[in-house]
Amino acid sequence: MEAMAAAKPVIKVAALCGSLREGSYNRGLLRYAMELTKEEIDGIQIDYIDISPLPMLNTDLEVNGKYPPVVEAFRQRILAADSILFASPEYNYSVTGPLKNAIDWASRSPNVFANKAAAIVSVAGSLGGARAQYHYRQIGVYLDLHFINKPEFFLNAYESPAKFDSDGNLIDPASKKRMKNVLLALQAFTLQLRGKC
């Protein structure tokens, strides 16, 4: 009797959105990613983390080496993840304030991003958020956060035909395929970093 094939390890992905807007297209990308992991891709669990409750970084809030409860809960969810999926628009050619704030809280000692795999996708105008993505990648170097190099995902939301419906859900078939490829690459890279492939 042939040995049964080993089950693929399940990786936990923390998903963070750089926009706080309810109808954010970037949040729509994360919703679609979660759909993919339930319907088409085995071995990935996505934990969407709402960053809106986090206070602005202020080290005065760190008392006796402890963080505010909402910050500590956020940090624990990042720590429990195997990898990170960022979805972010571009503000003034760069990163968004809310996501940078979340990153800064997570990077406080001990840095809970350290040695994790990561991917970033973005929806914006013009270049689709490319300039912001490269700034996030630079930040990742200091955080010891390892971004996948390819595939890259930049999406200009305002080109025709429409990429999202009126509720902010991704409807463009080509973009859906690209999102799937990003997740598969993140999964493979995460397993490689963990020595599980």
Side-chain angles (χ1 to χ4, degrees):
M1 184 174 178
E2 293 183 12
M4 293 181 63
K8 181 181 285 189
V10 176
I11 65 166
K12 188 172 182 180
V13 178
L16 306 176
C17 183
S19 172
L20 303 184
R21 195 170 62 84
E22 192 63 37
S24 163
Y25 291 154
N26 286 279
R27 190 173 296 189
L29 289 182
L30 295 180
R31 278 196 305 273
Y32 182 66
M34 288 186 277
E35 284 178 31
L36 282 172
T37 61
K38 292 173 183 173
E39 299 171 4
E40 294 186 38
I41 302 176
D42 292 328
I44 300 178
Q45 292 178 349
I46 294 183
D47 177 24
Y48 173 75
I49 305 175
D50 180 10
I51 63 173
S52 64
L54 294 174
M56 290 300 293
L57 180 69
N58 178 350
T59 55
D60 288 345
L61 299 176
E62 299 175 27
V63 180
N64 297 323
K66 294 186 177 180
Y67 298 100
V70 67
V71 172
E72 186 56 35
F74 165 71
R75 288 171 51 83
Q76 288 303 314
R77 288 170 75 180
I78 296 294
L79 185 62
D82 298 299
S83 56
I84 314 296
L85 175 61
F86 298 100
S88 182
E90 180 178 297
Y91 290 178
N92 299 317
Y93 285 14
S94 191
V95 303
T96 71
L99 188 48
K100 181 60 166 61
N101 183 58
I103 288 170
D104 290 344
W105 273 121
S107 72
R108 297 292 295 163
S109 183
N111 169 22
V112 294
F113 280 128
N115 205 34
K116 295 184 189 295
I120 183 163
V121 295
S122 59
V123 183
S126 184
L127 299 178
R131 289 167 292 219
Q133 281 204 27
Y134 291 127
H135 287 180
Y136 285 115
R137 289 173 181 272
Q138 287 175 321
I139 293 166
V141 171
Y142 183 77
L143 299 178
D144 198 22
L145 191 62
H146 309 292
F147 281 93
I148 62 170
N149 291 324
K150 298 284 176 66
E152 294 180 303
F153 186 105
F154 316 114
L155 181 60
N156 184 334
Y158 307 106
E159 291 178 333
S160 293
K163 305 297 188 290
F164 296 85
D165 65 18
S166 59
D167 295 319
N169 297 308
L170 185 65
I171 57 172
D172 177 55
S175 298
K176 287 183 172 184
K177 183 176 181 180
R178 290 170 58 210
M179 274 297 300
K180 183 175 182 179
N181 289 337
V182 168
L183 287 177
L184 290 172
L186 178 60
Q187 180 182 40
F189 188 46
T190 302
L191 293 174
Q192 181 182 335
L193 281 181
R194 295 285 180 257
K196 295 180 180 178
C197 62

